[in-house]
Amino acid sequence: LSDSPGPSPIASYHRYHRFHNFFCTPIMRTMMISPWAILFLLLLVADALSLQPSIFSAYRAKLSSSSVALLVQQGSTNNRIQSNLRQISPTHPWRTSALSSAANNEEQTIELSYESLQEEIRRRESLQEEALLDDGSSSSSSKTEQQFWKWRNHDIFCEVRTPADTSSSDSKRKPKIILLHGFGASTTYWRETMKTLQSGGFEVHALDLLGQGRSSKPYCYARDGDGRLTKFPYKLYSKAPSITSIAEETSPISMGKNTNTNVHYSINLWANMIDDYARHCNMDEVILMGNSLGSLVALSAATGDFIQTPNNVDRENMFGYLAGNHLGERSRVKGVCLFNCAVGLNSMNVLKNPNFSAVQRNVLQWIFGILNNLIFDNELLLKFALNDVVTKDLLRDALKSLYTYNSEQVDEELVDSFYYPAKFGGDGAVEAIRQIYTNDAGLSPMELTAKYPEILDKKLPLHLIWGDSDVVTPINGDVGQFYCDRVANNRGGKGMTTIDVVSAGHVLFDDNPSDTNSALLRWINKRVL
């Protein structure tokens, strides 16, 4: 070897090895790790909070064994049953009742297979809903009802709370309130807001938007000539489930059935859903309230921007149920309250910032394109992230970073409300995340204000409540500064837009409910009623 011309092969090998260790290995590791880091950083910053329970396999293994023996007895047996029940669902009504029975030393034995357990859960939930209806039949007590509303063949989860006395004139004249959550969230994190408004004599409707929370998560599966599936749903367990029973058969909480439907997610789609819901409930006067992405849905529904008009039809001749039109159909919206308003369906609307130079805009557009191609438009990567990366602990930490005022509010009920819908949503959950991050962002609040000045500047009471330490939609961001400037300088000319700032993070109404609800009720009483 020493007589061969050129560098020694051994020396070349060592040089290659040093080069590989110094350059290639870090790059390969970065390629393996950075997508996950970028993914979760962006999901957090862009209000995504994509979730997935890694402990499900262990939970499933315990339940799918020959049977689950739940022995509710005295002494040490009580401790054992309480421990077992905690593995079912931390906030499930059945677990709560069983724990109560254990605490009262009632002896009972329930022997259930996995399938029987799921059936028993559904039966208990049905009984609980009937009990809620019975309890709310009298006007002397408040009522809380959870149900699924059928919209375009999809199951939309709704929670409706009515006040204790609905017969009083004060209660009858108050508008109904519709709550619209942000991306990845659900009705659960409105819990403090719903209680306060219900106690104040308002009827409150909180909905899970299509594709999120406990509502249906559509996914279109191709079929061959014989009508058979050519693409099976994402397997959450060993056998291939039917399309319409994925969530129903596996989730510890009741969820809407996933439908074999092609859905294009947008702000206007959800605004159309809300408009149809108000029509379905025959609401006469409504206050719309939205958080983050839900704020855009509220603005679209209030202005009627979601109406898709054929080219040969004058848009003013058409109308939404809530927004009305200029031909005598009055608006049913009495006010809109926005909590930490987002810039659009996704962050790509930041490209519309007029202060950006052409170079800055092109660079940001290139970055968004790269991220979409590598991560958000990568279905396999998103599936892997939901199935194998995100855990309850990771989700809990992410939520606590958004609850800057009181992180103790991040309890099991809240974590579960994010955790289970994404985990058990199958391909539909992945598709919703993919589309929301890659579809057109829609009109920004600034564009909607410019498009509908008569509504948003002169007619409609519009209130902003902002958390001062929000890292997702900061008050010093584009949208926050836009509304602060309008309020400070009365840009609308009518003083219809107002703003309050409270000490809280992105989910201010659950993070600091006391200050947030005080500001909310103050605005309603002064500007709306």
Side-chain angles (χ1 to χ4, degrees), residues 93-134:
W94 183 20
R95 192 201 76 158
T96 304
S97 63
L99 288 175
S100 176
S101 298
N104 294 329
N105 296 326
E106 297 176 3
E107 296 187 7
Q108 57 178 334
T109 302
I110 307 174
E111 188 115 349
L112 298 171
S113 66
Y114 174 76
E115 289 73 17
S116 300
L117 179 61
Q118 295 301 314
E119 182 62 32
E120 181 67 7
I121 287 177
R122 287 192 289 270
R123 188 183 71 82
R124 300 275 180 126
E125 285 179 335
S126 176
L127 291 175
Q128 185 195 32
E129 290 177 359
E130 292 176 5
L132 287 173
L133 289 173
D134 293 340

mmCIF file of all heavy atoms in Angstrom, residues 93-134:
data_model
loop_
_atom_site.group_PDB
_atom_site.id
_atom_site.type_symbol
_atom_site.label_atom_id
_atom_site.label_comp_id
_atom_site.label_asym_id
_atom_site.label_seq_id
_atom_site.Cartn_x
_atom_site.Cartn_y
_atom_site.Cartn_z
ATOM 1 N N PRO A 93 -67.719 10.730 33.553
ATOM 2 C CA PRO A 93 -68.777 10.631 34.563
ATOM 3 C C PRO A 93 -68.882 9.257 35.179
ATOM 4 O O PRO A 93 -69.175 9.124 36.358
ATOM 5 C CB PRO A 93 -70.046 10.974 33.764
ATOM 6 C CG PRO A 93 -69.567 11.748 32.586
ATOM 7 C CD PRO A 93 -68.197 11.208 32.274
ATOM 8 N N TRP A 94 -68.641 8.199 34.371
ATOM 9 C CA TRP A 94 -68.730 6.851 34.914
ATOM 10 C C TRP A 94 -67.674 6.639 35.985
ATOM 11 O O TRP A 94 -67.936 6.091 37.050
ATOM 12 C CB TRP A 94 -68.574 5.838 33.791
ATOM 13 C CG TRP A 94 -68.715 4.423 34.257
ATOM 14 C CD1 TRP A 94 -69.302 3.995 35.397
ATOM 15 C CD2 TRP A 94 -68.253 3.259 33.577
ATOM 16 N NE1 TRP A 94 -69.256 2.646 35.477
ATOM 17 C CE2 TRP A 94 -68.610 2.159 34.386
ATOM 18 C CE3 TRP A 94 -67.595 3.033 32.393
ATOM 19 C CZ2 TRP A 94 -68.312 0.867 34.019
ATOM 20 C CZ3 TRP A 94 -67.317 1.741 32.036
ATOM 21 C CH2 TRP A 94 -67.663 0.673 32.835
ATOM 22 N N ARG A 95 -66.453 7.095 35.695
ATOM 23 C CA ARG A 95 -65.392 6.935 36.678
ATOM 24 C C ARG A 95 -65.732 7.696 37.944
ATOM 25 O O ARG A 95 -65.522 7.235 39.055
ATOM 26 C CB ARG A 95 -64.064 7.442 36.115
ATOM 27 C CG ARG A 95 -62.885 7.023 36.985
ATOM 28 C CD ARG A 95 -61.682 7.913 36.762
ATOM 29 N NE ARG A 95 -61.888 9.193 37.422
ATOM 30 C CZ ARG A 95 -60.913 9.996 37.768
ATOM 31 N NH1 ARG A 95 -59.674 9.678 37.521
ATOM 32 N NH2 ARG A 95 -61.164 11.145 38.354
ATOM 33 N N THR A 96 -66.295 8.895 37.774
ATOM 34 C CA THR A 96 -66.638 9.701 38.934
ATOM 35 C C THR A 96 -67.665 9.006 39.807
ATOM 36 O O THR A 96 -67.532 8.956 41.029
ATOM 37 C CB THR A 96 -67.180 11.067 38.473
ATOM 38 O OG1 THR A 96 -66.201 11.690 37.640
ATOM 39 C CG2 THR A 96 -67.484 11.959 39.663
ATOM 40 N N SER A 97 -68.699 8.441 39.168
ATOM 41 C CA SER A 97 -69.728 7.761 39.941
ATOM 42 C C SER A 97 -69.178 6.513 40.611
ATOM 43 O O SER A 97 -69.553 6.179 41.735
ATOM 44 C CB SER A 97 -70.914 7.403 39.044
ATOM 45 O OG SER A 97 -70.511 6.500 38.033
ATOM 46 N N ALA A 98 -68.293 5.807 39.917
ATOM 47 C CA ALA A 98 -67.711 4.591 40.492
ATOM 48 C C ALA A 98 -66.821 4.926 41.682
ATOM 49 O O ALA A 98 -66.814 4.221 42.691
ATOM 50 C CB ALA A 98 -66.917 3.847 39.429
ATOM 51 N N LEU A 99 -66.056 6.011 41.555
ATOM 52 C CA LEU A 99 -65.216 6.431 42.672
ATOM 53 C C LEU A 99 -66.070 6.831 43.872
ATOM 54 O O LEU A 99 -65.725 6.576 45.014
ATOM 55 C CB LEU A 99 -64.325 7.601 42.248
ATOM 56 C CG LEU A 99 -63.176 7.264 41.298
ATOM 57 C CD1 LEU A 99 -62.467 8.543 40.875
ATOM 58 C CD2 LEU A 99 -62.191 6.311 41.953
ATOM 59 N N SER A 100 -67.204 7.460 43.569
ATOM 60 C CA SER A 100 -68.108 7.837 44.646
ATOM 61 C C SER A 100 -68.656 6.601 45.346
ATOM 62 O O SER A 100 -68.765 6.561 46.567
ATOM 63 C CB SER A 100 -69.249 8.684 44.078
ATOM 64 O OG SER A 100 -70.183 8.981 45.084
ATOM 65 N N SER A 101 -68.979 5.589 44.544
ATOM 66 C CA SER A 101 -69.465 4.340 45.134
ATOM 67 C C SER A 101 -68.397 3.698 46.002
ATOM 68 O O SER A 101 -68.675 3.166 47.076
ATOM 69 C CB SER A 101 -69.890 3.372 44.019
ATOM 70 O OG SER A 101 -70.939 3.917 43.274
ATOM 71 N N ALA A 102 -67.149 3.770 45.525
ATOM 72 C CA ALA A 102 -66.055 3.195 46.307
ATOM 73 C C ALA A 102 -65.890 3.936 47.617
ATOM 74 O O ALA A 102 -65.649 3.347 48.669
ATOM 75 C CB ALA A 102 -64.762 3.249 45.502
ATOM 76 N N ALA A 103 -66.035 5.259 47.557
ATOM 77 C CA ALA A 103 -65.871 6.056 48.771
ATOM 78 C C ALA A 103 -66.960 5.749 49.776
ATOM 79 O O ALA A 103 -66.749 5.829 50.984
ATOM 80 C CB ALA A 103 -65.891 7.546 48.418
ATOM 81 N N ASN A 104 -68.147 5.373 49.289
ATOM 82 C CA ASN A 104 -69.254 5.037 50.179
ATOM 83 C C ASN A 104 -69.249 3.568 50.579
ATOM 84 O O ASN A 104 -70.201 3.076 51.175
ATOM 85 C CB ASN A 104 -70.588 5.356 49.494
ATOM 86 C CG ASN A 104 -70.761 6.842 49.278
ATOM 87 O OD1 ASN A 104 -70.266 7.651 50.066
ATOM 88 N ND2 ASN A 104 -71.454 7.209 48.197
ATOM 89 N N ASN A 105 -68.163 2.861 50.204
ATOM 90 C CA ASN A 105 -68.001 1.452 50.582
ATOM 91 C C ASN A 105 -69.134 0.565 50.081
ATOM 92 O O ASN A 105 -69.564 -0.372 50.755
ATOM 93 C CB ASN A 105 -67.899 1.317 52.113
ATOM 94 C CG ASN A 105 -66.666 1.996 52.658
ATOM 95 O OD1 ASN A 105 -65.626 2.015 51.997
ATOM 96 N ND2 ASN A 105 -66.764 2.566 53.853
ATOM 97 N N GLU A 106 -69.665 0.899 48.880
ATOM 98 C CA GLU A 106 -70.678 0.034 48.295
ATOM 99 C C GLU A 106 -69.991 -1.096 47.557
ATOM 100 O O GLU A 106 -69.077 -0.872 46.776
ATOM 101 C CB GLU A 106 -71.556 0.834 47.314
ATOM 102 C CG GLU A 106 -72.328 1.945 47.996
ATOM 103 C CD GLU A 106 -73.106 2.765 46.978
ATOM 104 O OE1 GLU A 106 -73.052 2.389 45.795
ATOM 105 O OE2 GLU A 106 -73.735 3.739 47.376
ATOM 106 N N GLU A 107 -70.440 -2.317 47.807
ATOM 107 C CA GLU A 107 -69.816 -3.481 47.209
ATOM 108 C C GLU A 107 -70.523 -3.842 45.903
ATOM 109 O O GLU A 107 -71.733 -4.023 45.864
ATOM 110 C CB GLU A 107 -69.884 -4.670 48.162
ATOM 111 C CG GLU A 107 -69.088 -4.444 49.448
ATOM 112 C CD GLU A 107 -69.036 -5.714 50.277
ATOM 113 O OE1 GLU A 107 -69.507 -6.757 49.765
ATOM 114 O OE2 GLU A 107 -68.545 -5.665 51.378
ATOM 115 N N GLN A 108 -69.724 -3.894 44.824
ATOM 116 C CA GLN A 108 -70.262 -4.369 43.556
ATOM 117 C C GLN A 108 -69.113 -4.890 42.718
ATOM 118 O O GLN A 108 -67.983 -4.478 42.866
ATOM 119 C CB GLN A 108 -71.012 -3.265 42.816
ATOM 120 C CG GLN A 108 -70.166 -2.024 42.541
ATOM 121 C CD GLN A 108 -70.959 -0.992 41.761
ATOM 122 O OE1 GLN A 108 -71.880 -1.342 41.046
ATOM 123 N NE2 GLN A 108 -70.587 0.257 41.909
ATOM 124 N N THR A 109 -69.416 -5.814 41.832
ATOM 125 C CA THR A 109 -68.413 -6.401 40.957
ATOM 126 C C THR A 109 -68.879 -6.272 39.520
ATOM 127 O O THR A 109 -69.981 -6.674 39.191
ATOM 128 C CB THR A 109 -68.194 -7.886 41.285
ATOM 129 O OG1 THR A 109 -67.792 -7.991 42.639
ATOM 130 C CG2 THR A 109 -67.115 -8.475 40.380
ATOM 131 N N ILE A 110 -68.018 -5.673 38.682
ATOM 132 C CA ILE A 110 -68.338 -5.518 37.263
ATOM 133 C C ILE A 110 -67.240 -6.183 36.471
ATOM 134 O O ILE A 110 -66.089 -5.791 36.563
ATOM 135 C CB ILE A 110 -68.434 -4.026 36.881
ATOM 136 C CG1 ILE A 110 -69.410 -3.308 37.808
ATOM 137 C CG2 ILE A 110 -68.854 -3.864 35.434
ATOM 138 C CD1 ILE A 110 -69.448 -1.813 37.597
ATOM 139 N N GLU A 111 -67.587 -7.194 35.700
ATOM 140 C CA GLU A 111 -66.612 -7.908 34.892
ATOM 141 C C GLU A 111 -66.888 -7.603 33.428
ATOM 142 O O GLU A 111 -67.948 -7.942 32.916
ATOM 143 C CB GLU A 111 -66.735 -9.419 35.141
ATOM 144 C CG GLU A 111 -65.639 -10.222 34.491
ATOM 145 C CD GLU A 111 -64.763 -10.896 35.527
ATOM 146 O OE1 GLU A 111 -64.904 -10.562 36.699
ATOM 147 O OE2 GLU A 111 -63.967 -11.745 35.140
ATOM 148 N N LEU A 112 -65.957 -6.909 32.783
ATOM 149 C CA LEU A 112 -66.216 -6.412 31.440
ATOM 150 C C LEU A 112 -65.072 -6.717 30.494
ATOM 151 O O LEU A 112 -63.914 -6.557 30.851
ATOM 152 C CB LEU A 112 -66.423 -4.888 31.464
ATOM 153 C CG LEU A 112 -67.611 -4.354 32.281
ATOM 154 C CD1 LEU A 112 -67.528 -2.844 32.365
ATOM 155 C CD2 LEU A 112 -68.900 -4.761 31.613
ATOM 156 N N SER A 113 -65.386 -7.109 29.276
ATOM 157 C CA SER A 113 -64.402 -7.165 28.206
ATOM 158 C C SER A 113 -64.228 -5.760 27.669
ATOM 159 O O SER A 113 -64.973 -4.844 28.028
ATOM 160 C CB SER A 113 -64.881 -8.097 27.085
ATOM 161 O OG SER A 113 -66.021 -7.547 26.480
ATOM 162 N N TYR A 114 -63.250 -5.575 26.766
ATOM 163 C CA TYR A 114 -63.018 -4.238 26.208
ATOM 164 C C TYR A 114 -64.255 -3.725 25.473
ATOM 165 O O TYR A 114 -64.695 -2.598 25.643
ATOM 166 C CB TYR A 114 -61.828 -4.271 25.249
ATOM 167 C CG TYR A 114 -61.600 -2.973 24.526
ATOM 168 C CD1 TYR A 114 -61.025 -1.899 25.175
ATOM 169 C CD2 TYR A 114 -61.991 -2.826 23.191
ATOM 170 C CE1 TYR A 114 -60.830 -0.695 24.521
ATOM 171 C CE2 TYR A 114 -61.810 -1.633 22.526
ATOM 172 C CZ TYR A 114 -61.225 -0.577 23.190
ATOM 173 O OH TYR A 114 -61.037 0.606 22.550
ATOM 174 N N GLU A 115 -64.869 -4.601 24.631
ATOM 175 C CA GLU A 115 -66.034 -4.173 23.883
ATOM 176 C C GLU A 115 -67.198 -3.852 24.820
ATOM 177 O O GLU A 115 -67.923 -2.879 24.623
ATOM 178 C CB GLU A 115 -66.444 -5.263 22.887
ATOM 179 C CG GLU A 115 -65.482 -5.423 21.704
ATOM 180 C CD GLU A 115 -64.165 -6.096 22.110
ATOM 181 O OE1 GLU A 115 -64.124 -6.710 23.195
ATOM 182 O OE2 GLU A 115 -63.207 -5.992 21.324
ATOM 183 N N SER A 116 -67.386 -4.677 25.859
ATOM 184 C CA SER A 116 -68.465 -4.427 26.810
ATOM 185 C C SER A 116 -68.234 -3.136 27.573
ATOM 186 O O SER A 116 -69.174 -2.409 27.900
ATOM 187 C CB SER A 116 -68.580 -5.599 27.798
ATOM 188 O OG SER A 116 -68.858 -6.796 27.121
ATOM 189 N N LEU A 117 -66.961 -2.857 27.860
ATOM 190 C CA LEU A 117 -66.625 -1.629 28.574
ATOM 191 C C LEU A 117 -67.033 -0.414 27.757
ATOM 192 O O LEU A 117 -67.641 0.530 28.261
ATOM 193 C CB LEU A 117 -65.119 -1.587 28.857
ATOM 194 C CG LEU A 117 -64.595 -0.336 29.576
ATOM 195 C CD1 LEU A 117 -65.243 -0.191 30.926
ATOM 196 C CD2 LEU A 117 -63.087 -0.403 29.705
ATOM 197 N N GLN A 118 -66.700 -0.421 26.443
ATOM 198 C CA GLN A 118 -67.068 0.707 25.589
ATOM 199 C C GLN A 118 -68.583 0.847 25.489
ATOM 200 O O GLN A 118 -69.113 1.957 25.510
ATOM 201 C CB GLN A 118 -66.464 0.515 24.189
ATOM 202 C CG GLN A 118 -64.946 0.534 24.167
ATOM 203 C CD GLN A 118 -64.400 1.845 24.705
ATOM 204 O OE1 GLN A 118 -64.865 2.913 24.340
ATOM 205 N NE2 GLN A 118 -63.417 1.765 25.574
ATOM 206 N N GLU A 119 -69.295 -0.274 25.395
ATOM 207 C CA GLU A 119 -70.745 -0.238 25.332
ATOM 208 C C GLU A 119 -71.338 0.313 26.625
ATOM 209 O O GLU A 119 -72.298 1.096 26.615
ATOM 210 C CB GLU A 119 -71.289 -1.646 25.069
ATOM 211 C CG GLU A 119 -72.815 -1.708 24.936
ATOM 212 C CD GLU A 119 -73.313 -0.890 23.771
ATOM 213 O OE1 GLU A 119 -72.588 -0.778 22.755
ATOM 214 O OE2 GLU A 119 -74.430 -0.352 23.883
ATOM 215 N N GLU A 120 -70.746 -0.068 27.748
ATOM 216 C CA GLU A 120 -71.232 0.415 29.033
ATOM 217 C C GLU A 120 -71.010 1.920 29.158
ATOM 218 O O GLU A 120 -71.863 2.649 29.678
ATOM 219 C CB GLU A 120 -70.518 -0.324 30.176
ATOM 220 C CG GLU A 120 -70.966 0.078 31.575
ATOM 221 C CD GLU A 120 -72.410 -0.334 31.878
ATOM 222 O OE1 GLU A 120 -73.018 -1.043 31.062
ATOM 223 O OE2 GLU A 120 -72.921 0.085 32.935
ATOM 224 N N ILE A 121 -69.873 2.391 28.657
ATOM 225 C CA ILE A 121 -69.596 3.833 28.695
ATOM 226 C C ILE A 121 -70.653 4.589 27.899
ATOM 227 O O ILE A 121 -71.181 5.604 28.338
ATOM 228 C CB ILE A 121 -68.181 4.130 28.148
ATOM 229 C CG1 ILE A 121 -67.121 3.678 29.173
ATOM 230 C CG2 ILE A 121 -68.004 5.617 27.863
ATOM 231 C CD1 ILE A 121 -65.697 3.867 28.687
ATOM 232 N N ARG A 122 -70.960 4.091 26.697
ATOM 233 C CA ARG A 122 -71.961 4.762 25.872
ATOM 234 C C ARG A 122 -73.334 4.742 26.540
ATOM 235 O O ARG A 122 -74.094 5.715 26.483
ATOM 236 C CB ARG A 122 -72.030 4.115 24.488
ATOM 237 C CG ARG A 122 -70.830 4.440 23.604
ATOM 238 C CD ARG A 122 -71.083 4.027 22.160
ATOM 239 N NE ARG A 122 -71.079 2.583 21.986
ATOM 240 C CZ ARG A 122 -69.995 1.873 21.707
ATOM 241 N NH1 ARG A 122 -68.829 2.467 21.578
ATOM 242 N NH2 ARG A 122 -70.064 0.563 21.564
ATOM 243 N N ARG A 123 -73.660 3.616 27.195
ATOM 244 C CA ARG A 123 -74.956 3.522 27.868
ATOM 245 C C ARG A 123 -75.046 4.509 29.023
ATOM 246 O O ARG A 123 -76.057 5.186 29.202
ATOM 247 C CB ARG A 123 -75.173 2.093 28.387
ATOM 248 C CG ARG A 123 -76.570 1.839 28.943
ATOM 249 C CD ARG A 123 -76.695 0.440 29.502
ATOM 250 N NE ARG A 123 -75.947 0.278 30.735
ATOM 251 C CZ ARG A 123 -76.407 0.655 31.932
ATOM 252 N NH1 ARG A 123 -77.601 1.204 32.042
ATOM 253 N NH2 ARG A 123 -75.679 0.482 33.011
ATOM 254 N N ARG A 124 -73.950 4.593 29.797
ATOM 255 C CA ARG A 124 -73.944 5.515 30.934
ATOM 256 C C ARG A 124 -74.045 6.968 30.469
ATOM 257 O O ARG A 124 -74.697 7.787 31.104
ATOM 258 C CB ARG A 124 -72.668 5.322 31.762
ATOM 259 C CG ARG A 124 -72.505 3.923 32.339
ATOM 260 C CD ARG A 124 -73.241 3.749 33.645
ATOM 261 N NE ARG A 124 -73.082 2.411 34.181
ATOM 262 C CZ ARG A 124 -72.643 2.148 35.405
ATOM 263 N NH1 ARG A 124 -72.297 3.114 36.203
ATOM 264 N NH2 ARG A 124 -72.571 0.900 35.828
ATOM 265 N N GLU A 125 -73.363 7.267 29.357
ATOM 266 C CA GLU A 125 -73.435 8.634 28.823
ATOM 267 C C GLU A 125 -74.857 8.972 28.388
ATOM 268 O O GLU A 125 -75.331 10.091 28.586
ATOM 269 C CB GLU A 125 -72.486 8.796 27.644
ATOM 270 C CG GLU A 125 -71.035 8.905 28.053
ATOM 271 C CD GLU A 125 -70.117 9.034 26.855
ATOM 272 O OE1 GLU A 125 -70.495 8.575 25.765
ATOM 273 O OE2 GLU A 125 -69.038 9.599 27.028
ATOM 274 N N SER A 126 -75.540 7.995 27.789
ATOM 275 C CA SER A 126 -76.917 8.208 27.362
ATOM 276 C C SER A 126 -77.817 8.487 28.559
ATOM 277 O O SER A 126 -78.662 9.381 28.538
ATOM 278 C CB SER A 126 -77.423 6.993 26.589
ATOM 279 O OG SER A 126 -78.777 7.149 26.244
ATOM 280 N N LEU A 127 -77.621 7.698 29.621
ATOM 281 C CA LEU A 127 -78.406 7.908 30.832
ATOM 282 C C LEU A 127 -78.117 9.268 31.447
ATOM 283 O O LEU A 127 -79.016 9.939 31.967
ATOM 284 C CB LEU A 127 -78.100 6.800 31.850
ATOM 285 C CG LEU A 127 -78.592 5.392 31.481
ATOM 286 C CD1 LEU A 127 -78.105 4.389 32.521
ATOM 287 C CD2 LEU A 127 -80.107 5.365 31.364
ATOM 288 N N GLN A 128 -76.838 9.674 31.387
ATOM 289 C CA GLN A 128 -76.474 10.967 31.954
ATOM 290 C C GLN A 128 -77.136 12.107 31.187
ATOM 291 O O GLN A 128 -77.618 13.071 31.766
ATOM 292 C CB GLN A 128 -74.952 11.158 31.925
ATOM 293 C CG GLN A 128 -74.528 12.449 32.614
ATOM 294 C CD GLN A 128 -73.104 12.811 32.286
ATOM 295 O OE1 GLN A 128 -72.633 12.519 31.202
ATOM 296 N NE2 GLN A 128 -72.435 13.462 33.217
ATOM 297 N N GLU A 129 -77.170 11.995 29.838
ATOM 298 C CA GLU A 129 -77.804 13.034 29.029
ATOM 299 C C GLU A 129 -79.295 13.119 29.333
ATOM 300 O O GLU A 129 -79.866 14.206 29.405
ATOM 301 C CB GLU A 129 -77.576 12.758 27.552
ATOM 302 C CG GLU A 129 -76.139 12.956 27.122
ATOM 303 C CD GLU A 129 -75.919 12.597 25.667
ATOM 304 O OE1 GLU A 129 -76.896 12.178 25.026
ATOM 305 O OE2 GLU A 129 -74.781 12.741 25.209
ATOM 306 N N GLU A 130 -79.957 11.945 29.530
ATOM 307 C CA GLU A 130 -81.364 11.949 29.872
ATOM 308 C C GLU A 130 -81.587 12.609 31.226
ATOM 309 O O GLU A 130 -82.546 13.349 31.422
ATOM 310 C CB GLU A 130 -81.901 10.522 29.895
ATOM 311 C CG GLU A 130 -81.945 9.865 28.518
ATOM 312 C CD GLU A 130 -82.397 8.425 28.609
ATOM 313 O OE1 GLU A 130 -82.754 7.985 29.724
ATOM 314 O OE2 GLU A 130 -82.410 7.733 27.573
ATOM 315 N N ALA A 131 -80.666 12.347 32.154
ATOM 316 C CA ALA A 131 -80.778 12.956 33.477
ATOM 317 C C ALA A 131 -80.635 14.466 33.403
ATOM 318 O O ALA A 131 -81.330 15.213 34.085
ATOM 319 C CB ALA A 131 -79.723 12.370 34.420
ATOM 320 N N LEU A 132 -79.715 14.928 32.537
ATOM 321 C CA LEU A 132 -79.540 16.364 32.372
ATOM 322 C C LEU A 132 -80.810 17.008 31.820
ATOM 323 O O LEU A 132 -81.206 18.097 32.237
ATOM 324 C CB LEU A 132 -78.361 16.644 31.432
ATOM 325 C CG LEU A 132 -76.976 16.401 32.005
ATOM 326 C CD1 LEU A 132 -75.924 16.558 30.906
ATOM 327 C CD2 LEU A 132 -76.684 17.354 33.155
ATOM 328 N N LEU A 133 -81.446 16.307 30.874
ATOM 329 C CA LEU A 133 -82.682 16.839 30.312
ATOM 330 C C LEU A 133 -83.783 16.899 31.373
ATOM 331 O O LEU A 133 -84.521 17.874 31.459
ATOM 332 C CB LEU A 133 -83.138 15.974 29.136
ATOM 333 C CG LEU A 133 -82.287 16.069 27.868
ATOM 334 C CD1 LEU A 133 -82.750 15.026 26.859
ATOM 335 C CD2 LEU A 133 -82.390 17.460 27.268
ATOM 336 N N ASP A 134 -83.859 15.861 32.186
ATOM 337 C CA ASP A 134 -84.869 15.838 33.242
ATOM 338 C C ASP A 134 -84.622 16.938 34.256
ATOM 339 O O ASP A 134 -85.533 17.611 34.714
ATOM 340 C CB ASP A 134 -84.882 14.473 33.952
ATOM 341 C CG ASP A 134 -85.366 13.367 33.012
ATOM 342 O OD1 ASP A 134 -86.023 13.697 32.010
ATOM 343 O OD2 ASP A 134 -85.048 12.190 33.279
#
